[in-house]
Amino acid sequence: MNKTVSMPLDVVIMAAGKGTRMKSTLPKVLHRLGGKPLLEHVIDAAAQLNARSAVVITGHASKVVQSAINSIAFKAINTPVKAVFDAYKSINSVLQEPQLGTGHAVQQTVPVLPDDGMVLVLSGDVPLTQVDTLRALIETSGGDKLALLTIDFDNPAGYGRVVRSNDAGRGAVQAIVEQKDANDAQKLIKEVYSGIMAVPAKLLKGWLTRLDNKNAQGEYYLTDIVKFAVADGLLVVAHKIDDAAQVAGVNSPVQLAELERVYQLRQAKTLMEQGVRLADPARFDLRGSLTCGQDVEIDINCIFSGQVNLGNGVKVGAHCVISNAVIADGAVIHPFTHIEGEKLGVSVGAGALIGPFARLRPGATLGKEVHIGNFVEVKNATLADGAKANHLAYLGDATVGERVNFGAGSITANYDGANKHRTVIESDVHVGSNCVLVAPVTIGAGGTVGGGSTITKSTPAGALSVARGKQVSMTNWQRPKKTAK
Ligand code: UD1
Ligand code: CA
């Protein structure tokens, strides 16, 4: 067994920076990518690495960041689909005030870092590092060496350069030299430090005490520990990758949007590898989790969020927004449909036809082969198998029986201005057009409600119920004539 595998992992996440270039009141690490804060991506990576603990270094807007950390941990622990890793349970934050550099930042974590672990240093604004890459970095460190994640950049300006012992660029790592401290020869080095390292806590803690700020920026550089390792006669190793997105930080809205596309394409590819047919992976957005059965087809510009399950053969038309919903086998969601389950969820039965332009709200529970057509809103309502509301209707706080047909323009009036009440429509009822069913009210099985009725009292089974002005026709009526001026 590998040495590193047996060593506990503690993750340090740097998140004290201001993020000035975001030009936002929201701290940078709380901006969302794929629907979740940047910082949550990093914490999730720590969790997937099975870290024993994570510590976030906060500074700017530390209160806001700390409360976000609490809710990220709370959410993770209370989401059944997420394994409860120790990292979520043992997440600390430390305050770095003022911010005197990355070395100073990591110094703040010393009191909460155990001595017997491997420390992985990450940044809260670098969301797309793959867990496999981090695992490989830890392996490279072997449990006893300082390991740096590095990458070659054609334009390395701004980054710390990895100085090696010979010019071929393959010798042992000697130092990291920051852009502002680099000489002309060093500026030509293309290999840069990504900002991510793995280092045994014992060594790290010793080196942190030796940092100073005698450099071009007057900062305490974490990267100076490389010099100390070399001076101590220890080997510094590098794990070099070539996928720039994995080490890309978010500093501006432009960079955030760029990484969003990278992230979405990754997710789209994963789904397509599972057999999901996306009309265009570049026009697909998943801001949560999506599980799909076989032969699922998703047209362009759909947005999924929360937890969405699509059964076998489900088709989702263009421009649908679907959140927290379970859609059973063979259901078809026509274009421009909005499904928002929130906490109660939405469920759509097998073979149902929804939309175009339908709106399903929390608690919409639709049976098999239900049809919900254009401009129909369903909220907190159960529709049994085969029920239909094909046009321009509202079903709220209702229990609708099998095979009910709910006419165009009809609504359940569920709210009396103070309280909400339920409407029960028993099986095989036919509700005509433009009816108002004033809850609480029950429409008896097999009954018919005449078009234009306002129903305020429950109706007997099988009856035709009509509640509207009687039709009168005056045969001797004269239309007024225009008077001469
Ligand atoms: C750092 C590295 C550089 C590397 C680059 C990769 C140092 C000295 N340099 O440079 O070699 O190529 O990252 O992006 O480490 N932070 C704090 N407290 C501070 C300063 C920074 O928490 O006092 C946080 C920032 O919020 C950020 C991270 O540390 O998340 C990196 O800081 P940043 O200022 O971007 O470092 P660079 O100068 O870019
Ligand atoms: Ca940076």
Side-chain angles (χ1 to χ4, degrees):
M1 206 183 209
N2 194 299
K3 209 175 170 187
T4 55
V5 179
S6 60
M7 207 168 171
L9 177 70
D10 299 298
V11 175
V12 166
I13 302 170
M14 296 199 281
K18 193 169 182 186
T20 314
R21 282 196 280 151
M22 288 303 294
K23 300 189 177 160
S24 170
T25 53
L26 189 67
K28 177 166 75 175
V29 293
L30 300 186
H31 281 269
R32 283 168 190 272
L33 182 130
K36 67 182 183 183
L38 296 172
L39 183 58
E40 188 171 342
H41 287 267
V42 182
I43 293 173
D44 284 352
Q48 284 169 54
L49 286 164
N50 221 343
R52 162 175 66 181
S53 74
V55 52
V56 182
I57 303 158
T58 65
H60 284 282
S62 61
K63 291 237 162 63
V64 184
V65 176
Q66 274 159 18
S67 76
I69 293 166
N70 293 340
S71 60
I72 289 166
F74 181 84
K75 192 183 82 181
I77 290 166
N78 291 285
T79 302
V81 294
K82 263 188 189 170
V84 182
F85 293 106
D86 288 343
Y88 296 120
K89 290 185 280 181
S90 329
I91 185 157
N92 296 300
S93 64
V94 295
L95 183 65
Q96 185 201 14
E97 192 58 72
Q99 285 89 44
L100 303 178
T102 52
H104 178 251
V106 178
Q107 280 172 347
Q108 312 312 307
T109 69
V110 168
V112 300
L113 270 188
D115 288 330
D116 63 340
M118 170 61 65
V119 178
L120 177 66
V121 177
L122 302 173
S123 271
D125 59 356
V126 179
L128 297 186
T129 322
Q130 304 271 35
V131 171
D132 285 349
T133 300
L134 296 173
R135 220 172 260 136
L137 178 70
I138 294 164
E139 294 290 314
T140 304
S141 99
D144 57 1
K145 289 182 286 294
L146 168 57
L148 308 171
L149 186 66
T150 70
I151 184 165
D152 285 339
F153 279 156
D154 286 338
N155 177 10
Y159 291 90
R161 307 298 205 283
V162 178
V163 179
R164 292 184 181 254
S165 59
N166 71 29
D167 293 339
R170 265 181 244 102
V173 175
Q174 296 295 298
I176 295 173
V177 178
E178 295 303 310
Q179 169 82 21
K180 289 190 175 135
D181 301 282
N183 61 35
D184 288 347
Q186 289 164 339
K187 280 183 186 149
L188 295 175
I189 298 172
K190 292 198 182 324
E191 187 181 8
V192 304
Y193 169 55
S194 67
I196 296 173
M197 63 168 69
V199 53
K202 266 219 174 76
L203 294 173
L204 175 67
K205 286 185 175 186
W207 293 330
L208 287 174
T209 62
R210 289 154 67 179
L211 293 177
D212 64 44
N213 61 354
K214 295 185 190 110
N215 52 54
Q217 300 185 82
E219 285 182 11
Y220 294 87
Y221 293 162
L222 177 61
T223 44
D224 278 350
I225 71 170
V226 175
K227 281 189 314 207
F228 304 146
V230 172
D232 290 353
L234 284 173
L235 194 61
V236 178
V237 288
H239 176 65
K240 201 197 268 189
I241 60 169
D242 53 21
D243 177 7
Q246 291 201 44
V247 295
V250 171
N251 295 298
S252 65
V254 169
Q255 289 171 344
L256 181 61
E258 282 168 1
L259 290 195
E260 178 75 29
R261 286 339 302 165
V262 172
Y263 179 73
Q264 293 301 345
L265 207 54
R266 265 192 202 171
Q267 299 193 113
K269 282 186 177 147
T270 304
L271 287 164
M272 290 188 294
E273 277 156 15
Q274 293 163 8
V276 177
R277 296 196 288 277
L278 298 179
D280 182 357
R283 286 177 292 173
F284 167 80
D285 287 86
L286 170 55
R287 301 169 188 164
S289 84
L290 175 63
T291 58
C292 295
Q294 216 171 8
D295 288 311
V296 165
E297 290 178 21
I298 299 172
D299 211 332
I300 60 162
N301 289 343
C302 292
I303 302 175
F304 297 87
S305 63
Q307 169 78 44
V308 176
N309 290 25
L310 305 180
N312 295 327
V314 166
K315 288 188 173 66
V316 180
H319 309 284
C320 290
V321 176
I322 302 181
S323 174
N324 294 307
V326 176
I327 297 173
D329 295 356
V332 179
I333 313 298
H334 288 294
F336 298 100
T337 291
H338 187 213
I339 299 179
E340 169 53 80
E342 287 174 28
K343 287 205 173 82
L344 286 174
V346 163
S347 77
V348 174
L353 303 179
I354 312 297
F357 299 100
R359 182 172 184 211
L360 305 182
R361 293 175 52 205
T365 306
L366 314 184
K368 285 183 205 132
E369 283 161 32
V370 162
H371 292 185
I372 299 295
N374 42 235
F375 307 106
V376 174
E377 175 183 349
V378 181
K379 184 217 76 170
N380 193 25
T382 304
L383 277 72
D385 297 353
K388 294 183 176 70
N390 270 322
H391 339 258
L392 303 158
Y394 174 58
L395 282 160
D397 301 305
T399 304
V400 179
E402 293 176 8
R403 298 171 298 276
V404 163
N405 198 316
F406 199 73
S410 291
I411 67 157
T412 56
N414 55 330
Y415 185 54
D416 62 13
N419 296 296
K420 299 233 167 95
H421 302 281
R422 262 195 110 70
T423 299
V424 177
I425 306 173
E426 293 179 351
S427 52
D428 299 297
V429 162
H430 183 96
V431 177
S433 291
N434 270 348
C435 294
V436 179
L437 309 183
V438 182
V441 73
T442 296
I443 311 299
T448 297
V449 177
S453 293
T454 296
I455 299 292
T456 54
K457 294 191 289 273
S458 292
T459 66
L464 166 65
S465 304
V466 184
R468 63 180 184 226
K470 255 209 169 96
Q471 182 167 331
V472 261
S473 298
M474 297 174 203
T475 47
N476 57 353
W477 181 73
Q478 286 281 314
R479 189 179 288 173
K481 290 203 170 66
K482 201 168 178 131
T483 46
K485 283 204 179 123

